[in-house]
Amino acid sequence: SQASSRNTYPDNWDDLRKQVYSHDNYECQNCGIRGGNDGDIELHAHHIVPTSKNGNHVMSNLVTLCRACHSSVHPHMSSN
């Protein structure tokens, strides 16, 4: 697995990702599919600048993607 220390998330990540979803109206910002309370699509909060490249966990660096779009951005993520 590619999980390593660079993939550490802050203690408030659960709250943070929910803020991102709310900010983006629970819509994938790539394909527009809705998740959250209005759909059954699994949403992910994606770092525009990856944490591996010193991207941080701030709203301006986070965007809502559905699982499928997030997997296409990160080919190493399992799709099963």
Side-chain angles (χ1 to χ4, degrees), residues 13-30:
W13 177 247
D14 211 45
D15 292 330
L16 203 53
R17 68 182 178 81
K18 288 173 184 169
Q19 286 175 35
V20 176
Y21 305 156
S22 177
H23 176 265
D24 290 335
N25 295 314
Y26 297 91
E27 286 181 10
C28 174
Q29 298 302 291
N30 188 48

